Amino acid sequence: MLPGVGVFGTGRTVRVLVPLLQKEGFPVQAVWGRTQEEAEFLANELDIPFSTSQSDDVLLHPEVHLVCILTPPPHTRQIAVKALGIGKNVISEQAATLTDACKMVTAARYYPQLMSIMSNGLRFLPAFVLMKRLLGEGYCGTLQVCEARVYGGSLLSQSYGWAWEELMGGGGLHTVGSCIIDLLSYLTGGRASRVHGMLRTFVRQGGTGGGIRSVTADDYACFQLLMGGGVVCSVTLNFNLPGADLHEVMLVGSSGRLIAKGAELYGQRNGRNGEELLLSDGGAGAGPSITGLNAMVTQLRLSFQAQEDRCSWARHPVSMATTFEDGLYVQTVVDAIKLSNRTGEWESVEVRTQDIDPNHNHRTPALQFLNQFL
């Protein structure tokens, strides 16, 4: 049997993920919401047998062995650390701060037998899996430049919440840019040594429920990463384009280029006329994030299904997944970009390791949620 799943969150990603899990045979046993009403509504909508607004009720549920954390960033670390501490496998979104990311790495190192991965499905997107393989086979020659562009509408919620606040993990850089930063590291096999960035908040007042509160989260980000080996990455994120839906990643090398447009992959070798379609999206049209998440859930099933019990898992099917340590690196890059935005200078990326102790058990005695911000 596959492990029972407990889900934290009631947002759009949860509404996508739960049916994917159920389709692959994972019994989704419990869901947590900020209020009991939110949790019950989602449970009825998605056929989940148990709902609650008390986090411990999910974590201690006897049929929950895999915890999916899709909550606002300020909640992430508290749930992840406690879940690992009581023996649950964890899939989590990005933490809110560098300190939170460090504590998640500490817990993951202390419980290495448990799954502790991030929920970035882009690594599993078939277009990027093929892109990485072709890059390794020399399709582009020596890699020189990576460019990524993501355009879309506003990320703000209609009423005031964490998405409005930069310090709570809101903004395009943290919510979308972190996935792109991680993807570029996966594709190139390297990490950024220096960064330079510019952030802007063009929409300073949110929806009708905002009152006098202003928006501090960025809706535009443009940054450069200088990777190990000299590869240059340039990323532009713009969430001031209602109706737009652009997700494009291009790798340019000495003998050719590879371009992922949404969930499709194109390539062109130097001296050839025109791009060739290397991988289509199969007509699904679901977009890269959902398609990648779907592929990730399939690999999760393969990871768990061959095991003798519902807690054990095989590493190979999910070997490409983003680890908590990768999440720490990404958060370090995000913070360096924010610093560069303030100083106007190139900033170094130095991943913090001195206070990550694999022999120290960071168990959180109680979860204290920041409901006043939601």
Side-chain angles (χ1 to χ4, degrees):
M1 293 180 61
L2 294 174
V5 180
V7 178
F8 285 84
T10 57
R12 287 174 294 179
T13 305
V14 172
R15 285 176 160 80
V16 172
L17 178 62
V18 168
L20 294 177
L21 289 166
Q22 293 168 333
K23 183 186 71 173
E24 291 290 344
F26 286 93
V28 181
Q29 301 285 7
V31 62
W32 172 92
R34 184 177 64 90
T35 66
Q36 185 65 37
E37 292 73 19
E38 284 183 5
E40 288 180 359
F41 183 86
L42 188 70
N44 291 331
E45 177 184 335
L46 300 178
D47 195 25
I48 301 172
F50 179 77
S51 59
T52 181
S53 60
Q54 301 299 314
S55 59
D56 284 355
D57 290 346
V58 175
L59 293 175
L60 299 176
H61 193 293
E63 297 300 319
V64 169
H65 302 284
L66 173 63
V67 174
C68 295
I69 306 169
L70 302 164
T71 63
H75 298 185
T76 299
R77 181 265 299 172
Q78 295 172 335
I79 301 172
V81 171
K82 188 168 187 180
L84 291 169
I86 60 177
K88 310 289 186 178
N89 297 297
V90 174
I91 301 173
S92 175
E93 290 199 331
Q94 191 72 21
T97 67
L98 194 59
T99 297
D100 285 353
C102 285
K103 291 181 178 179
M104 289 170 64
V105 169
T106 300
R109 289 183 178 179
Y110 196 84
Y111 304 103
Q113 77 280 10
L114 296 173
M115 177 182 286
S116 54
I117 61 177
M118 311 300 290
S119 60
N120 185 4
L122 290 181
R123 287 195 180 202
F124 293 85
L125 184 72
F128 291 129
V129 173
L130 179 57
M131 177 183 274
K132 183 173 177 63
R133 179 168 68 80
L134 292 174
L135 188 65
E137 294 174 354
Y139 187 99
C140 295
T142 301
L143 186 61
Q144 299 167 334
V145 174
C146 305
E147 294 187 0
R149 296 186 298 157
V150 180
Y151 298 161
S154 175
L155 300 175
L156 296 177
S157 53
Q158 283 301 305
S159 59
Y160 175 75
W162 69 271
W164 294 34
E165 295 288 350
E166 180 263 333
L167 291 177
M168 294 180 67
L173 173 62
H174 190 281
T175 57
V176 178
S178 59
C179 295
I180 298 298
I181 293 166
D182 175 68
L183 176 66
L184 294 176
S185 177
Y186 165 70
L187 292 173
T188 65
R191 290 186 167 183
S193 59
R194 300 173 66 212
V195 301
H196 187 274
M198 178 180 66
L199 308 176
R200 291 292 183 269
T201 303
F202 289 108
V203 177
R204 296 187 173 276
Q205 296 292 331
T208 56
I212 61 172
R213 297 183 186 271
S214 61
V215 177
T216 61
D218 63 275
D219 52 26
Y220 176 87
C222 179
F223 56 91
Q224 292 75 46
L225 314 175
L226 181 60
M227 311 293 281
V231 177
V232 177
C233 298
S234 179
V235 180
T236 303
L237 312 172
N238 190 344
F239 300 101
N240 295 284
L241 299 168
D245 186 16
L246 176 70
H247 193 288
E248 186 173 294
V249 177
M250 178 170 64
L251 307 185
V252 181
S254 58
S255 60
R257 61 182 180 268
L258 291 164
I259 311 167
K261 300 177 181 180
E264 295 184 331
L265 181 64
Y266 296 83
Q268 184 171 351
R269 296 182 186 271
N270 292 354
R272 301 280 181 89
N273 291 324
E275 299 174 348
E276 57 177 330
L277 177 63
L278 302 175
L279 182 71
S280 73
D281 65 359
S289 297
I290 295 176
T291 305
L293 198 60
N294 192 2
M296 181 177 180
V297 172
T298 299
Q299 295 304 115
L300 280 174
R301 174 179 57 78
L302 296 174
S303 177
F304 282 107
Q305 71 177 6
Q307 307 308 304
E308 295 181 358
D309 63 77
R310 292 184 294 173
C311 296
S312 300
W313 57 289
R315 297 181 184 274
H316 177 70
V318 291
S319 59
M320 70 182 71
T322 308
T323 65
F324 278 16
E325 297 208 14
D326 293 328
L328 174 61
Y329 157 74
V330 168
Q331 190 63 48
T332 303
V333 174
V334 167
D335 281 13
I337 292 169
K338 291 180 179 180
L339 178 60
S340 175
N341 176 63
R342 295 192 296 269
T343 65
E345 305 289 338
W346 283 86
E347 299 293 342
S348 297
V349 176
E350 299 178 4
V351 180
R352 201 164 114 197
T353 58
Q354 67 273 17
D355 56 353
I356 300 178
D357 181 2
N359 296 314
H360 182 65
N361 184 0
H362 282 269
R363 296 195 185 193
T364 306
L367 300 179
Q368 298 176 345
F369 293 119
L370 307 179
N371 289 336
Q372 68 269 28
F373 294 113
L374 300 177

